[in-house]
Amino acid sequence: MILILSILVGISIVVVFPTLSEAQLEQKTFVTHSGQVVYTSGDVLDPLSTASTVEFDPQKYLRDFNYGHISESKNGQTIRDFTIIAEDNKIQEISPGVFYNVWTFNGTVPGPTIRATEGDLVRIHFINNGSKSHTMHFHGIHKAEMDGVFEIVGPGGGQFTYEFEAGPVGVHPYHCHVMPLEEHISHGLYGVFIVDPKEGRPLADEMVMVLNGFDTDFDAENNFYAANTIPFYYQHHPIQIKTDELIRIYVVNMVEFDPINNFHLHGNLYHYYPTGTDTVPSTFTDMITLSQTERGIMEFQYTYPGKYLFHAHKVEFSEKGWTGLFLVQNSGDNQGN
Ligand SMILES: [Cu+2]
């Protein structure tokens, strides 16, 4: 009896958590925390050609930085104007055959990566075209009335202009701060705000990774996890980098419901700058663990070419989509080799 039970348990574990190598290749059936069975076709999801009402390209998002419309004040301060529009009616194919109502800033989850230099005047012209109230709350230093918590922006075209000096240097999340907060964040109203030091950072191949998850059956547990929204995306589309080239990743954990997330890099270690606020890394490691909205900057370079995994070492997350690959090519090779 015990033997039969243990075999059954073993089989169910294989069904719920198939091994990494086959997780994305075969039809997937898994039981959610509430007992619902989720089926996906096992096809590779192409986020650019689905029936979704969202156009989101994880390959483009990875290295896409929005510096705003730039002007200069009379006293020489750089002004950066951004227009951000919130909506809450879009449907996105989160996994093959699994559609979910995403709430978006400028049409995507995450919203655009907003980038400024320390001391710049940042002006966010926020328009709420959603059916619910929304706001933008930036992590960072600013006046109370610019905090996006008490200044609720009403649905159907409500507007607010957030204005603050960019600071401190680092990588910060922004997100809607309307209650119930869990609902507004888990549906996708978040993005990344990078504040560069005035003196700049050493030249690097820079990218942004937002660690997120989706609760598609509304049981306050995530069914899918990802770096940049689409489960397994960078496993099917490895991120191409070069040997001996400095890689800098701005990583932000926005996973709701789960208390922790993490980032493990294979075949290498990285210098890690928590929140990106210090010039000296706090650690040299291949594994960091992040609570919600914890973030930082990772820097590394590969000596040897080849394919290297990166993924959550929380295995449940990696087997439900939070896994990817770096394809490291020799610096001397031509593009596409
Ligand atoms: Cu909201």
Side-chain angles (χ1 to χ4, degrees), residues 86 88 103 105 126 128 132-136 153 175-181 183-185 189:
D88 47 33
W103 301 2
F105 286 131
F126 177 60
N128 178 10
K132 301 170 177 63
S133 293
H134 298 298
T135 66
M136 290 185 78
V153 184
H175 58 85
C176 176
H177 212 296
V178 169
M179 300 296 159
L181 193 55
E183 186 182 16
H184 286 246
I185 291 180
L189 286 171

Side-chain angles (χ1 to χ4, degrees), residues 1-12:
M1 185 64 190
I2 290 171
L3 180 67
I4 293 171
L5 265 180
S6 59
I7 289 171
L8 282 175
V9 168
I11 290 171
S12 66

Side-chain angles (χ1 to χ4, degrees), residues 204-205 241-247 300-302 331:
D205 182 0
I241 58 176
K242 297 281 186 191
T243 54
D244 303 320
E245 187 172 33
L246 181 63
I247 308 298
F300 56 92
Q301 45 197 341
Y302 274 95
S331 292

Side-chain angles (χ1 to χ4, degrees), residues 159-179:
Q159 297 197 17
F160 191 91
T161 301
Y162 301 96
E163 193 172 308
F164 50 85
E165 274 195 7
V169 163
V171 51
H172 311 292
Y174 66 83
H175 58 85
C176 176
H177 212 296
V178 169
M179 300 296 159

Side-chain angles (χ1 to χ4, degrees), residues 20-149:
L20 202 61
S21 60
E22 67 187 19
Q24 70 287 355
L25 300 176
E26 298 177 356
Q27 182 178 31
K28 284 189 73 180
T29 303
F30 60 87
V31 181
T32 72
H33 296 265
S34 59
Q36 186 187 330
V37 179
V38 172
Y39 302 93
T40 76
S41 66
D43 293 341
V44 177
L45 176 63
D46 179 357
L48 299 181
S49 61
T50 74
S52 302
T53 57
V54 173
E55 285 178 33
F56 179 68
D57 180 353
Q59 210 66 20
K60 181 170 180 289
Y61 173 82
L62 188 69
R63 294 182 173 99
D64 196 16
F65 302 100
N66 187 336
Y67 291 89
H69 178 264
I70 300 168
S71 60
E72 198 175 297
S73 74
K74 282 179 191 149
N75 63 7
Q77 186 180 31
T78 299
I79 302 170
R80 296 181 190 272
D81 286 282
F82 301 85
T83 299
I84 304 286
I85 299 171
E87 292 173 291
D88 47 33
N89 63 347
K90 288 183 182 293
I91 305 294
Q92 183 163 10
E93 192 173 13
I94 290 297
S95 189
V98 178
F99 291 83
Y100 180 70
N101 169 214
V102 286
W103 301 2
T104 55
F105 286 131
N106 285 4
T108 58
V109 179
T113 298
I114 294 171
R115 193 157 182 175
T117 301
E118 182 184 25
D120 291 350
L121 183 67
V122 174
R123 281 197 304 232
I124 310 281
H125 305 275
F126 177 60
I127 303 165
N128 178 10
N129 282 346
S131 62
K132 301 170 177 63
S133 293
H134 298 298
T135 66
M136 290 185 78
H137 161 68
F138 284 80
H139 288 214
I141 300 168
H142 46 246
K143 291 176 181 168
E145 61 268 29
M146 293 296 154
D147 201 39
V149 173

